[in-house]
Amino acid sequence: MRLYLLPISTRRTLIYCQRLNVTTTTQQSWIDKGTAKAASIWAGWEKKESGWQKKVVDYGNEALKRIPYEEWGLKSIPPLSARRKEDELSGKEKVEVYFPKALVPERTVLDVLRKLGTERKSIHKTRMIWSFIGMPITAPVALVPLIPNIPFFYLVFRAWSHWRALSGSKHIEFLLENNLIKHAPSQILDELYSSGKQHFDIGSSKGSKDIEEMVLHKSNGKRIAEALKIPELDVELDRAVWQVEKALKAEQELKEEKKKMGSANPESKEKRM
């Protein structure tokens, strides 16, 4: 199993897991089989030129794009089964973490992993519970003829998604607690990130005087995915870059708005005097 730390900005990173020994169909759990079946149906709907399936896909893809990239990253990490735990503890299955040393100093790697593995645990747990609570409420929609129960299936997907992210988080904690992660600085990633000028800040953006900057852009995702030979990584990086750029833009607009309000207040006080 390979873990990748891929900085998106100088303060945010994407964690992604590449599973090297993928199980065959006969070895897959019922959850994996159900996920594969759902993905197959979704792909079929995407090929539709019109109809309610096409509309569901369009709205669904827009909703999926807004799911935090941190959640997608944790979901890529497989749940910690009893067999996997035994294989990792015995050394049968090695776990390596690849990262661009030019941006992520090797001494901070474990801290970055610990932060990414724990900071959203409570969020996923709480939202998973609320998704389960909402399922019975939306179930009666299935009684309406000719209309698919989209709200119910969306809550099922969100519950599963939060469970997978939570499972990935627990897996990371297990690996850290047992010191099972081997550092693997990547020269390929260093070359791909060669334009990056600042080290990745593992701390919170609050309290830091430095300005957060992007180290990746939309065009970089495909190049990195091709270099690492992980085609699906292109989508993950594209989503992460879009979300971080949007967040930084919103933060900048908020700062400018506060600045305008601050400059307007002294003028209003002078008029009153």
Side-chain angles (χ1 to χ4, degrees):
M1 186 171 82
R2 289 177 182 171
L3 297 173
Y4 288 91
L5 293 178
L6 304 167
I8 306 300
S9 74
T10 50
R11 293 178 190 156
R12 311 186 205 202
T13 194
L14 170 71
I15 184 172
Y16 185 80
C17 176
Q18 182 187 24
R19 299 171 66 175
L20 302 177
N21 301 317
V22 181
T23 57
T24 62
T25 305
T26 54
Q27 295 174 312
Q28 287 181 334
S29 66
W30 64 271
I31 293 178
D32 290 331
K33 290 179 181 179
T35 303
K37 181 64 176 178
S40 177
I41 293 174
W42 191 262
W45 286 8
E46 284 184 321
K47 295 177 182 178
K48 299 279 185 180
E49 294 183 1
S50 60
W52 65 266
Q53 294 102 327
K54 181 64 175 177
K55 289 183 179 180
V56 168
V57 167
D58 290 341
Y59 287 120
N61 285 337
E62 195 63 30
L64 292 175
K65 191 176 182 180
R66 284 169 167 72
I67 293 175
Y69 70 89
E70 298 96 333
E71 182 176 329
W72 288 101
L74 289 174
K75 282 165 56 178
S76 70
I77 302 168
L80 187 62
S81 63
R83 181 177 179 180
R84 184 178 294 277
K85 183 184 293 187
E86 183 181 343
D87 289 345
E88 290 175 349
L89 286 172
S90 66
K92 185 177 179 180
E93 182 173 349
K94 296 181 180 180
V95 181
E96 297 177 314
V97 57
Y98 291 78
F99 56 95
K101 193 175 181 180
L103 287 178
V104 185
E106 192 166 356
R107 68 180 184 279
T108 68
V109 168
L110 295 182
D111 290 329
V112 173
L113 283 170
R114 186 172 289 106
K115 179 176 183 290
L116 295 174
T118 58
E119 66 179 351
R120 295 180 59 86
K121 272 186 70 174
S122 60
I123 294 175
H124 293 305
K125 188 174 182 179
T126 301
R127 293 182 181 176
M128 180 180 67
I129 293 171
W130 280 110
S131 296
F132 279 122
I133 292 173
M135 286 181 201
I137 299 173
T138 58
V141 178
L143 299 175
V144 180
L146 303 177
I147 299 178
N149 194 348
I150 302 300
F152 175 79
F153 289 114
Y154 177 74
L155 288 176
V156 171
F157 167 74
R158 293 304 289 134
W160 169 82
S161 184
H162 288 301
W163 172 78
R164 279 300 298 260
L166 191 60
S167 297
S169 176
K170 291 178 179 178
H171 196 165
I172 288 294
E173 286 186 295
F174 168 79
L175 293 171
L176 290 170
E177 287 171 1
N178 292 278
N179 196 28
L180 298 174
I181 300 176
K182 180 182 178 182
H183 294 192
S186 172
Q187 186 176 351
I188 294 176
L189 286 176
D190 274 336
E191 293 173 359
L192 292 168
Y193 276 96
S194 60
S195 59
K197 297 179 181 178
Q198 300 185 35
H199 277 184
F200 182 69
D201 181 9
I202 64 169
S204 170
S205 59
K206 295 179 180 179
S208 176
K209 296 180 180 180
D210 297 329
I211 298 174
E212 182 176 3
E213 297 179 356
M214 298 293 297
V215 295
L216 278 188
H217 299 282
K218 188 175 180 179
S219 59
N220 301 134
K222 187 175 182 180
R223 188 160 53 93
I224 292 176
E226 289 177 350
L228 298 178
K229 298 180 181 179
I230 310 175
E232 58 273 19
L233 188 56
D234 183 16
V235 176
E236 302 297 334
L237 287 170
D238 183 54
R239 182 190 296 114
V241 168
W242 179 80
Q243 290 182 4
V244 174
E245 284 181 341
K246 187 178 179 182
L248 292 181
K249 183 179 179 181
E251 289 176 7
Q252 184 61 33
E253 290 176 350
L254 182 61
K255 287 180 181 179
E256 291 177 357
E257 186 67 26
K258 286 183 178 180
K259 190 175 181 181
K260 288 180 182 178
M261 292 176 65
S263 60
N265 285 336
E267 294 179 3
S268 59
K269 288 182 180 179
E270 288 179 4
K271 289 181 179 179
R272 289 177 184 176
M273 293 177 65

